[in-house]
Amino acid sequence: MEKEIFINVGATEGRIALLEDGQLVELFVERPDSIRTVGNVYKGEVKTVLPGMQAAFVDIGMEMSAFLHVSDISARIEELSAALDVEYEEETEGNGGVREYSQKSSGSHGARSSATTRTNGDRLPIEKRLKRNQDIMVQVTKEPIGTKGPRLTTQISLPGRFLVLLTADSKIGISRKISDRNERRRLYKIIRNIKSKDLGVILRTEAEGKEQKAIQNDLVRQMQRWEEIQRNYSTLPAPSLLHAETGFATSIIRDLFGADVTRLTIDTRKVYDDTRRYLKDVAPHLLNRVHLYRGKEPVLDRYGIEPEIKKTFDSKVWLKRGGNINIEHTEGMVAIDVNTGRYVGSKDQAQTILRTNIEAAKEIARQLRLRDIGGIVVIDFIDMDDPDHQRQVLGELRAGMKRSRAKYSISDFSEFGLVQLTRQRVRPSLYHTLSEVCPTCGGMGRIMSRETVTTKIERWFQRARVGSRDRKFRLEVNPAVAEHLSENNGQLIRAIEHRCRLKLQVVENEQLAADQFEVFSIRRKKYVTDKFIS
């Protein structure tokens, strides 16, 4: 499978697209006003302890208090292993006195081990663990979503290129994707000899084949981070940020850019230079796969990715054979309906339904990953009477979901022909990131957010200025968008003008919908919207 990564950095939005065999499968979006916090470590102050919920609300300096459940106060190493797809190992005496390596806890998607159950059974109630106004070190595990604040844990983990440092456990974990027994034994011996006895380590897939020096250097970097966090905790007041996760692009490159990625294309010199500096330390063999895009056309347009991103707004997704799936978001879940659509297939109706459902299962797995849909998902496949056909469809769905890095669980077909799927939710889905509640319909539907319209305007001017002599324009927008553009003394407009090297005059037009805009060329004295200027 050929993998490629594209990084597009604009004045109002940064985007990272992951392609597999030329197909968009993951999209990461970050904006200046919604910087991600997952992985950040804080010195917080307990504001409320709720014995009835066995939870506490902690002030970490955000607008909303963060949520800490009693189960996240103690070390939950089994759940962390499931999230990172690892197995824990310990040395045991094998037959004949030969030392062997045996699985201690393998973890599984959507399951808890007996060790977790024992811990839960012995757990002290939260009111005996925390008290109001108490200082506490916590790490964000889930972004704020809707009216819910971020979720916290006291199990601080610091990810590096080859390993994850665990500060509340002393075990050694190895990625399940490293299957060679001899390699697992080699890596275990390396980390056992160099790690501190009171700290744990998870070896990531990228550690496979790496020499001890590279692994040790990564461990030293994470140890230095942990020491700095501890120093900050002892000196800073609560609430305070003790450690910020690495930059948006760097963290994605750290987690995704491995030997299986054939090309990394970046459209901004600074991010390109930062990426190369980072890789020189941790993966110099990948430097020749990093490329700076110099074209005038926006990079995601140039490689045909932009149209695929626009489709993430569509509730209906067409399948190659003519069938379709409909994705509908509700407050409590996501419902997906499968239809044959234009596909009539052969004379055998059962085979037509099977082919449609199999194709839909593959596409559903991709869409969940691409749109980063989490929580409860209910799938209504086309009814099948043959149990073997049901098994084939579930097999395709499970095979597609294995490519996702998020934890998940999939049920069998219910008596009503429905499949329930749960997928880990760490951050808001693209649906929530790229849209906002429509003020006209009172929340029954959604429109493009002002931030998305602003980004759309910027990309329009990037395309329009290619090969054009026009440099002065009048931009007519909905009053809500005009207000957004004028915030902070027009910082967004100045950023677009600087990036696109042009001058803009923003004018309110109440006749335009919130997601519409018009562009008037001052040089040519004519409207030029939706046309490439020649």
Side-chain angles (χ1 to χ4, degrees):
M1 178 184 296
E2 182 175 333
K3 290 186 179 181
E4 297 178 273
I5 297 175
F6 293 85
I7 299 181
N8 162 231
V9 181
T12 60
E13 185 178 82
R15 299 181 297 173
I16 297 180
L18 172 64
L19 276 66
E20 292 178 354
D21 290 335
Q23 190 175 43
L24 180 66
V25 294
E26 290 192 51
L27 179 68
F28 305 90
V29 178
E30 184 170 79
R31 291 170 174 154
D33 60 346
S34 59
I35 301 300
R36 66 182 190 149
T37 59
V38 167
N40 286 2
V41 181
Y42 294 86
K43 182 176 184 178
E45 181 181 358
V46 178
K47 304 306 288 186
T48 308
V49 178
L50 303 172
M53 294 177 59
Q54 282 298 292
F57 287 100
V58 182
D59 179 12
I60 59 174
M62 294 186 180
E63 184 177 348
M64 293 185 289
S65 293
F67 181 82
L68 176 64
H69 191 262
V70 67
S71 59
D72 292 308
I73 296 176
S74 58
R76 298 176 68 187
I77 208 65
E78 288 81 10
E79 289 198 5
L80 184 61
S81 70
L84 293 172
D85 199 28
V86 301
E87 295 172 335
Y88 284 93
E89 301 191 346
E90 64 176 3
E91 281 192 295
T92 59
E93 291 292 338
N95 295 333
V98 178
R99 286 194 178 273
E100 297 179 347
Y101 295 83
S102 63
Q103 296 178 7
K104 178 134 185 193
S105 172
S106 63
S108 64
H109 292 294
R112 291 190 182 186
S113 70
S114 58
T116 304
T117 304
R118 286 196 302 274
T119 302
N120 291 351
D122 299 336
R123 181 179 296 133
L124 288 172
I126 196 165
E127 61 269 26
K128 293 187 177 181
R129 290 173 171 245
L130 299 178
K131 61 183 179 180
R132 195 165 181 263
N133 300 326
Q134 174 184 340
D135 291 346
I136 185 172
M137 185 189 295
V138 290
Q139 186 172 38
V140 176
T141 59
K142 287 186 180 180
E143 301 280 7
I145 299 176
T147 59
K148 297 179 180 179
R151 180 147 185 171
L152 305 175
T153 181
T154 60
Q155 167 82 40
I156 312 299
S157 58
L158 303 175
R161 175 70 175 177
F162 306 123
L163 55 83
V164 178
L165 179 68
L166 308 176
T167 65
D169 202 277
S170 59
K171 294 180 181 178
I172 297 174
I174 300 176
S175 168
R176 286 197 192 98
K177 293 180 181 179
I178 302 176
S179 57
D180 183 80
R181 187 176 180 83
N182 291 330
E183 177 63 6
R184 295 177 69 85
R185 180 180 290 130
R186 183 187 75 87
L187 291 172
Y188 183 92
K189 288 180 178 178
I190 288 175
I191 205 66
R192 181 195 59 186
N193 292 332
I194 63 176
K195 85 173 186 71
S196 171
K197 291 184 178 180
D198 59 340
L199 296 174
V201 169
I202 292 173
L203 287 164
R204 309 181 72 171
T205 308
E206 281 300 311
E208 185 172 14
K210 299 300 183 294
E211 297 299 325
Q212 176 171 328
K213 182 179 180 181
I215 296 173
Q216 186 166 1
N217 288 342
D218 200 19
L219 177 61
V220 168
R221 282 192 289 269
Q222 308 322 310
M223 288 290 295
Q224 290 171 343
R225 285 184 180 180
W226 176 231
E227 291 168 0
E228 182 182 5
I229 290 171
Q230 292 176 302
R231 286 195 300 271
N232 290 339
Y233 184 82
S234 64
T235 58
L236 294 176
S240 291
L241 174 65
L242 305 179
H243 166 74
E245 176 62 291
T246 55
F248 172 58
T250 302
S251 62
I252 297 296
I253 291 167
R254 178 194 66 201
D255 296 338
L256 293 181
F257 189 36
D260 58 341
V261 177
T262 57
R263 185 181 180 92
L264 169 61
T265 303
I266 305 171
D267 72 350
T268 305
R269 168 64 71 174
K270 183 181 185 304
V271 177
Y272 171 79
D273 291 340
D274 290 345
T275 299
R276 289 186 63 84
R277 277 193 293 269
Y278 170 74
L279 290 174
K280 281 180 181 178
D281 291 334
V282 299
H285 61 288
L286 296 178
L287 283 170
N288 63 346
R289 304 186 189 187
V290 183
H291 302 272
L292 176 64
Y293 178 72
R294 302 176 184 271
K296 293 182 179 180
E297 186 181 7
V299 62
L300 299 186
D301 284 272
R302 169 65 179 81
Y303 289 94
I305 302 170
E306 195 68 52
E308 291 301 309
I309 294 176
K310 291 179 180 178
K311 290 180 182 178
T312 61
F313 275 101
D314 298 340
S315 60
K316 179 175 288 187
V317 179
W318 288 99
L319 306 175
K320 291 181 179 179
R321 292 177 182 266
N324 63 71
I325 61 175
N326 282 278
I327 304 173
E328 297 294 340
H329 293 257
T330 71
E331 187 173 346
M333 68 178 69
V334 174
I336 301 179
D337 186 44
V338 181
N339 302 293
T340 52
R342 298 188 296 259
Y343 179 51
V344 294
S346 60
K347 294 181 180 179
D348 188 338
Q349 184 182 18
Q351 285 298 318
T352 298
I353 292 173
L354 175 62
R355 293 191 189 100
T356 302
N357 281 340
I358 286 178
E359 189 177 2
K362 295 177 181 178
E363 185 61 25
I364 287 169
R366 184 178 83 95
Q367 289 295 328
L368 293 179
R369 186 179 173 193
L370 171 59
R371 302 185 188 209
D372 204 5
I373 294 173
I376 299 173
V377 180
V378 176
I379 307 171
D380 185 8
F381 286 103
I382 305 169
D383 291 341
M384 295 176 292
D385 296 326
D386 190 336
D388 183 59
H389 287 184
Q390 292 183 350
R391 284 192 291 271
Q392 290 183 54
V393 171
L394 281 177
E396 291 293 345
L397 182 60
R398 288 179 173 134
M401 290 298 296
K402 283 183 180 179
R403 296 180 180 179
S404 173
R405 291 175 296 119
K407 292 188 294 182
Y408 65 90
S409 65
I410 302 173
S411 73
D412 291 330
F413 276 89
S414 73
E415 59 179 312
F416 303 109
L418 304 176
V419 173
Q420 180 175 304
L421 180 151
T422 58
R423 186 173 183 270
Q424 181 187 25
R425 177 162 51 198
V426 175
R427 62 186 65 85
S429 67
L430 282 182
Y431 171 76
H432 290 94
T433 300
L434 301 180
S435 66
E436 62 185 18
V437 175
C438 174
T440 303
C441 69
M444 293 299 292
R446 298 180 72 87
I447 60 172
M448 281 188 184
S449 66
R450 294 175 301 171
E451 293 84 354
T452 301
V453 175
T454 301
T455 303
K456 183 179 177 182
I457 289 169
E458 180 193 359
R459 288 200 287 268
W460 189 93
F461 280 112
Q462 283 183 313
R463 299 185 192 104
R465 67 177 301 278
V466 176
S468 167
R469 291 183 292 125
D470 288 7
R471 289 297 179 268
K472 293 183 180 180
F473 302 91
R474 184 174 74 233
L475 173 63
E476 298 180 13
V477 294
N478 178 276
V481 177
E483 180 183 4
H484 177 65
L485 291 170
S486 64
E487 291 175 351
N488 298 319
N489 296 318
Q491 183 177 342
L492 288 176
I493 282 295
R494 291 200 303 274
I496 294 174
E497 287 177 332
H498 176 75
R499 182 167 180 81
C500 299
R501 297 193 295 277
L502 46 79
K503 288 293 183 182
L504 295 177
Q505 175 189 359
V506 180
V507 177
E508 295 184 9
N509 185 339
E510 295 182 351
Q511 303 302 314
L512 294 175
D515 59 352
Q516 294 177 328
F517 62 92
E518 293 280 359
V519 180
F520 184 87
S521 169
I522 294 177
R523 180 179 70 87
R524 292 192 286 168
K525 298 181 180 180
K526 61 182 292 187
Y527 285 97
V528 292
T529 319
D530 297 329
K531 297 177 182 177
F532 287 102
I533 307 173
S534 59

